[in-house]
Structures are given as structure tokens and as C-alpha cells.
Amino acid sequence: MVNEPLSNSSNFSFITAVLFWCSLVVVSCVYLTIPLITVFADVFKVSSSQAAWAGSAFSFAFAGGGLFFGVLSDRFGRKKMMLSGLLLLTVITPLIGSVSSFSWLVALRAIQGLAASMFPPSVLAYAMEMFPIKRRITIIGFISTAFLMASIVGQIYSSYIVLFFSWSYIFYILFAVYLISFILITFIAKDATLQSDGSFFSAFLRIGHIFKKKGLPLCYIISATLFISLVGFFTTLGSYLNSSLFGLSHQDILWVRVVCIIGMLIAPFDGRLVAKFGIKNVLWCGLIFAGIGLGLLGLWPNLIFLVSMSVVFIIGIAVALPALISLIGHIAGEIRAIAVSFHMFMVFIGASLGPILSIYLINHGGYLFSFEILAGLLCLSLIVPFFIRLEETRS
């Protein structure tokens, strides 16, 4: 059901801005600790590999929770699930800043990941259900842009705060951010009335329908690969720029990450590219761009070249991600809400593995080796769309 007020142009623009903001600040939490690996290693006296679990614990909980709560949103409603997640984030986030042991930091980050996981699948399903078809690709493009920008904004925010304050203030300030977001969704978002058919567990049984849709499970290979590469890229890049070869400070690395945002600005226009060239062609193009940018990254230790190839890589990801979500929605049909929830699950399984894999690759083969392996994963995912057949759907 589409609520009539959301078809109005001014309401559409405002609600799009609110959903963009909330998606950005929630998903930014995934990436907060990437620049803090060395900080946590020093403060809590642990190794870099152990410190990376401050991010991976969040991501694993975020991935599993996204699937669980995405299915529950079918039963209880998108708005209720978004509000529950934001309220829990408001309560849990400031507690993280007060911990004095690394084990508590990891545990609370995992709980924070569960709270944050209520929002992304719900907001995507909300966009698909509450907006007319002609506006749907646009808002999905903006939400996808927010998810991508979060990968940089989260790092920029935590890097900037830690320059002037203790790392704890990263989480104290976010308390106010999540409280404001909760208030915005409370008064602005509307919710369609959902029919709760069957038992509580019947909603989870519908997950099995995903694997009956021909070609849909293959899409999730790309979902995981994109974010293994994206998070692995940022982890490797930060360590590379901080090495003796470049010797950049936290503030310098911050500016490199800011420049990468340029590549993400293409995502809201992905709908036009899909309409003109087709979903699979746009997806291929994005994967090719990302693979080229990442593959060339470590070949020449020149900062301008490095930044340029980073932007090419981000452009590729920004083109591929909305096209992939559109492809999943196209194939899934009436089970698109659960299909998108499973996409988010695979995305953040990839985000969880990204820092672990990149640190392992750096330790065993160096920075170039890490960039090339990650690029190789993207190139392998280029094969996947060949096995996905699209049938034309009638309006």
C-alpha cells in the first residue's frame, strides 16, 4: 500500500532527506572503529588483530540481526522496527564510551550491532512499499548512497573526534544524534497496516522462498563480495597511508577519505542508468570500475594516483550497489522485503570479514597483495550475472 501523502513532491523530498540522514548515522556505526584499531590496541594493550574485533563483533551481530529483524518487520511494521532500533541505539551507545576493558567493548559493540540491525532492512522495505513506483528507484538510490557514504562518514567522524578528544566522546556524541533521529522518525514516518497471517514463526519459514527464486541466491554472492572489498579496502588503505612509505597522520588520512565521497555522488542517479542500459549492464559496469580501481591501487606508490584510483573504486561500488538492490527486488517480486533483508545479512557478513581478511593479507603478503586479492574477488563476481536470467515484468 502506498500512503497518499508520500506521493506529494514536498513531502517526498522531506521524508527522503530524513531517511537518508537516519540511514547514514545508523550504518556509520559499522565503520567507526576502522580508524581506531591502533587506538584500541594502545589503550587496551591488545594486538591489531584483536583490536579489529571491535568492528567485526558489531558487523557479525549486525548481519545476523538484520535478517532476524527484517523478517520481523513483515509482521510488526517497518516504522515500529526502525523506532525500536533507534531507541536501543540511544540507550546502548553512550555505555560503550564508559567501558574500561576490551572484552566489555567488544560485547557492547555486538549489542549495538543488534540494535542498529533493526533499521536498514526496515528502511529499504519501507521505501519499496510507501512510495509510488516512479519515485521508488530514486529513494532507494538515496538510501544506498547513505549506506555507502556511511563507510567514509563513520571513519571521518571517529578520526576527527579522536584528534581532539578521548575515543569515548565518539559514542557520547552519538547519543544525541540517535535521539534526534528517533524523534524525526516518530513524527515524520508513516506505516502501512500489515496483515499478520499465520504464527510468529511462519514469517521465518518464508526465508526458504528466497532459494526457490531462480537466480536470487546468486545475487547474494555479489552482496558479500562488494562489502568484503569495500571494508577491506578502507582497512588496507588506512594502514598503507600510515606506513613509513607515506607516513600520513590521522588528519591527512581523514582528507583522503573525504575525497572518496566524490565517487559516491553518482548513486542517486543509478535509477536513470538502469532505465537506459538495464540492471545487469549497470551492475557489470560498476563491478568492472571497482575491480580496475582496486587492482591498480597498490601498483604505484604515488599519493595522487592512489587517491584517483580510490575514487574510481568508490564510483564502481556506488554504481553496482543500487543496481544490485534493484536486481534483487526485480527477481524477488512479492517476497522482496525478505529478499532485501537477506541481502543486508550478506552485505554485513562481508563487512565483518573485510577487516579480518585485509589484516591477514597485509601481515602475510603486504599492501599490494591485499589490494590485488580484494580486486580478484570483485573480478570473480563479474561471472555471476551471466547465470541470472531476467524476465520482463508487467506493470
Side-chain angles (χ1 to χ4, degrees), residues 69-70 73 77-78 81-82 117-127 341:
F69 294 118
S73 75
R78 319 304 180 194
M81 203 57 62
M82 289 190 283
S117 70
M118 296 182 184
F119 194 88
S122 301
V123 75
L124 278 170
Y126 181 88
S341 297

Side-chain angles (χ1 to χ4, degrees), residues 279-294:
I279 297 176
K280 286 172 64 174
N281 290 332
V282 172
L283 179 58
W284 267 318
C285 185
L287 291 172
I288 290 168
F289 260 78
I292 290 172
L294 194 54

